[in-house]
Amino acid sequence: MNLIELRAIASSLFEVAVAAADPRLSLRRALIESPLPADLDGRIILIAFGKASIALMKEALNHIPSNTPYQAIAVTNYENLQAIKGCEVHIAGHPVPDENGALAAARIIEILKNAGEKDFILTLISGGGSALLPAPRDGLTLQDKIVTNQILLQNGYDITALNMI
């Protein structure tokens, strides 16, 4: 094989790998294998957060059985904002949390507190979710989380370390 043929093979392998990692396609396969329930006495609640939440939510909405009541909320970073018909979309800070993220976290908590026993909840989490939904524990503030994230990022800590702290 010559160099041109090797490049073509490498490019093809790269494209296949990227397609295999597509969160929307992965979710599609999962929901075909395990469909959302059609015979609920309640409703389907879809919660998506992370940088891929828009793509995930769009796909999930395509799998809601007809005539099934649902509620949908997605939280993504500013760069990925898109309106989605039938879904409440929020934007928030990433990698540093912000007030919009705290408001989105409070909204999700409210939705979950109002969920009934017969509701079915599907949560779709992708990268960035922890920064996008800051909900500080008692004794901590949003500002504590912001400053901590900024210090860690400025000092070269990777995502694993950030999440552990």
Side-chain angles (χ1 to χ4, degrees):
M1 268 191 247
N2 64 36
L3 188 56
I4 293 172
E5 291 170 325
L6 288 173
R7 281 188 180 147
I9 290 171
S11 178
S12 177
L13 290 172
F14 176 78
E15 289 173 15
V16 168
V18 168
D22 183 324
R24 192 171 185 166
L25 296 177
S26 297
L27 180 60
R28 181 177 301 154
R29 285 190 297 270
L31 291 176
I32 288 171
E33 286 179 24
S34 301
L36 294 171
D39 56 352
L40 284 177
D41 288 333
R43 63 199 163 123
I44 292 175
I45 299 173
L46 300 174
I47 299 170
F49 58 94
K51 293 178 285 182
S53 66
I54 298 296
L56 291 169
M57 182 59 74
K58 286 180 177 179
E59 185 63 37
L61 287 169
N62 289 332
H63 293 268
I64 294 178
S66 60
N67 300 319
T68 301
Y70 73 91
Q71 182 173 12
I73 182 170
V75 183
T76 192
N77 57 321
Y78 294 101
E79 297 82 4
N80 290 331
L81 174 63
Q82 288 181 31
I84 304 172
K85 185 178 180 183
C87 178
E88 182 180 332
V89 178
H90 295 257
I91 50 174
H94 178 274
V96 177
D98 65 11
E99 183 65 32
N100 285 337
L103 293 171
R107 178 69 178 125
I108 288 175
I109 291 167
E110 176 188 344
I111 289 168
L112 292 173
K113 282 183 177 180
N114 291 315
E117 267 183 39
K118 296 180 180 180
D119 290 337
F120 180 88
I121 300 169
L122 177 63
T123 306
L124 305 165
I125 305 169
S126 58
S130 60
L132 293 169
L133 285 182
R137 296 181 62 154
D138 289 341
L140 295 175
T141 67
L142 176 60
Q143 191 60 34
D144 293 333
K145 291 185 83 103
I146 290 170
V147 170
T148 301
N149 257 26
Q150 288 171 330
I151 290 169
L152 294 172
L153 289 168
Q154 289 167 358
N155 287 286
Y157 284 82
D158 65 15
I159 189 62
T160 303
L162 262 82
N163 285 339
M164 289 179 70
I165 294 170

